[in-house]
Amino acid sequence: MPTVQVTDLKDGDFLLDVREDDEWQAGHAEGALHIPISDFVARYGELTEAAPQDGRVHVICRSGGRSAQVTMYLVQQGIDAVNVDGGMQYWQQTGREVVTDDGKPGFVL
């Protein structure tokens, strides 16, 4: 499965967060698209509308398990997708910003 490290991500890379609503509300990466894994198939069209046409989709969850499942699905659909290894836990550990919907500092649940 295609995988990247949090440290490989650059500002402006397209990020898909597949954690559940309570996790998202506690804190997330600014600018990420949120589609919970539990709603993913039903809301797939939101991803195809938002994702860059010729760009890569970086899929993230808390630690990497759920995002790996979504990454495999996307790759099967012909989308250039990669799993973000270590997920939001590693995102926060590396000092990357975690925010709430109102832009205040958040945390990884």
Side-chain angles (χ1 to χ4, degrees):
M1 167 183 351
T3 302
V4 296
Q5 302 298 314
V6 166
T7 53
D8 295 331
L9 295 174
K10 298 172 189 63
D11 288 343
D13 282 345
F14 186 84
L15 191 63
L16 170 65
D17 189 325
V18 297
R19 296 175 303 146
E20 295 302 321
D21 288 334
D22 59 333
E23 295 171 288
W24 171 265
Q25 290 168 2
H28 53 269
E30 189 171 359
L33 173 65
H34 178 230
I35 304 177
I37 192 171
S38 59
D39 296 337
F40 189 75
V41 174
R43 295 176 56 189
Y44 178 73
E46 292 178 41
L47 171 66
T48 58
E49 287 180 20
Q53 293 302 313
D54 295 323
R56 173 170 280 175
V57 175
H58 301 83
V59 188
I60 198 165
C61 66
R62 182 173 177 267
S63 61
R66 290 172 286 178
S67 55
Q69 293 174 42
V70 172
T71 299
M72 289 189 303
Y73 176 80
L74 293 175
V75 168
Q76 290 171 349
Q77 306 307 310
I79 293 176
D80 181 10
V82 292
N83 186 37
V84 179
D85 192 41
M88 287 299 296
Q89 289 180 320
Y90 192 58
W91 179 278
Q92 188 171 22
Q93 288 173 9
T94 60
R96 297 248 179 163
E97 189 174 26
V98 177
V99 298
T100 60
D101 282 337
D102 59 7
K104 294 180 180 170
F107 62 94
V108 176
L109 186 62

